Amino acid sequence: DISTGVRQQNDRGKHTLLNSAEQDLNTARQHHAAGQFVQAESLYQNILQTVPDHAETLHLLGILSHQVGKVENAIDFMNRALASKPDFAEAHSDLGNMLLALGRLEEAVTSYQKATMLKPDFAEAYSNLGIAQMNLGMLEDAAVSYGKAIAVKPDYANAHYNLCEVLEKTNRTDDLRTALENARKYCPNDYRLTLREAQILKRDGNFAAARESLESTQTGAEDSGFMVARAYLLGELCDRLDDVESAYRYFMEGNI
């Protein structure tokens, strides 16, 4: 049967192309991981010349484009990857990351939700969903998302820290104590938790102990977000302790 033979030959040709694409993709990944973006992009583009709908290549090319600042190209590649493979959870999540970085929060939420529906144990997507929801003012939803991230990955430091922030902002002090105990259990070396502990001490009216705890923290200097929050809280504590000079110094340090 001539039609059967042609179909078999086409299948063999397609198989050969896919094998070649996988070989090139492995090499491209190595260049990409080494920061050799020009070489990686060239190989990714070569793959797409022969297999235009190769979802993994489109996904990785989207990540690379985002890394070099070509944000719109990155989103286009990610959407093409998802058009080729709609159940690609990692691509949904990475698209969410790009949208989050652009401040397109509602779209980011949708992307993360798709990722977690497709992959219910996707801790990073749950955590990033929480960030998008928190930025949208959806604090209760954010708390749920962080909780899911922690349930999947109990030592997920960022999810613990952000959950504590949500509970602090929503005045859920008892839940904050429990969350902080849990965070200390699984992430004992996370210096940022000192800030959360000081917030509880402040709520308890123990201003001197909160100040001492924060001032004795020796790590985190490279974390600008933590240092600003630390300076602001120290300014508040010193103000409560009638140490006006120190309060002013800390507020200036935090650029408040």
Side-chain angles (χ1 to χ4, degrees):
D1 187 294
I2 295 175
S3 62
T4 300
V6 170
R7 185 168 61 251
Q8 289 174 342
Q9 186 174 3
N10 287 340
D11 289 343
R12 284 195 296 271
K14 184 176 181 180
H15 184 70
T16 300
L17 284 175
L18 289 174
N19 281 341
S20 176
E22 288 302 321
Q23 292 173 5
D24 286 345
L25 186 59
N26 287 334
T27 304
R29 281 198 190 99
Q30 293 171 11
H31 285 304
H32 196 162
Q36 299 166 347
F37 294 155
V38 173
Q39 297 92 324
E41 182 177 10
S42 178
L43 282 170
Y44 290 146
Q45 293 288 6
N46 285 344
I47 294 168
L48 295 181
Q49 289 295 318
T50 54
V51 190
D53 61 348
H54 198 272
E56 181 60 22
T57 299
L58 290 164
H59 173 229
L60 291 170
L61 193 50
I63 292 173
L64 187 151
S65 297
H66 193 255
Q67 287 175 312
V68 300
K70 299 177 181 178
V71 181
E72 293 303 323
N73 286 351
I75 290 175
D76 179 60
F77 283 125
M78 210 60 69
N79 281 324
R80 285 173 60 188
L82 290 168
S84 175
K85 187 179 178 183
D87 61 348
F88 198 161
E90 289 76 9
H92 281 293
S93 180
D94 286 328
L95 177 59
N97 294 341
M98 295 171 188
L99 295 168
L100 179 62
L102 290 173
R104 292 162 60 176
L105 301 176
E106 292 88 351
E107 295 172 83
V109 165
T110 298
S111 290
Y112 292 133
Q113 288 174 333
K114 288 178 180 177
T116 56
M117 285 194 315
L118 289 164
K119 188 177 178 182
D121 62 347
F122 203 159
E124 290 78 8
Y126 282 123
S127 183
N128 289 329
L129 172 59
I131 293 172
Q133 290 167 328
M134 190 160 61
N135 288 338
L136 280 168
M138 305 163 64
L139 298 184
E140 295 299 329
D141 289 337
V144 171
S145 296
Y146 291 134
K148 289 180 178 178
I150 292 166
V152 172
K153 189 177 179 182
D155 62 347
Y156 199 159
N158 283 341
H160 280 288
Y161 182 72
N162 289 334
L163 174 59
C164 288
E165 181 177 355
V166 169
L167 297 175
E168 161 67 17
K169 286 183 174 180
T170 52
N171 298 310
R172 293 166 57 182
T173 306
D174 289 340
D175 290 336
L176 175 57
R177 293 182 200 278
T178 301
L180 188 52
E181 288 175 6
N182 200 35
R184 276 298 184 197
K185 175 182 177 182
Y186 289 104
C187 312
N189 299 318
D190 188 350
Y191 62 86
R192 299 173 300 173
L193 297 179
T194 305
L195 183 71
R196 302 303 178 209
E197 290 165 342
Q199 287 170 331
I200 288 181
L201 289 169
K202 179 191 171 192
R203 284 181 175 273
D204 292 341
N206 202 341
F207 307 132
R211 177 182 180 179
E212 181 181 358
S213 175
L214 281 178
E215 287 184 333
S216 65
T217 303
Q218 300 298 316
T219 54
E222 72 289 346
D223 184 341
S224 60
F226 169 77
M227 293 305 290
V228 167
R230 173 183 177 273
Y232 181 72
L233 182 52
L234 276 167
E236 289 184 327
L237 292 167
C238 290
D239 185 54
R240 294 291 189 94
L241 292 165
D242 295 322
D243 186 348
V244 178
E245 183 178 341
S246 294
Y248 177 77
R249 174 168 51 84
Y250 280 123
F251 283 134
M252 291 299 293
E253 183 181 313
N255 292 318
I256 302 301

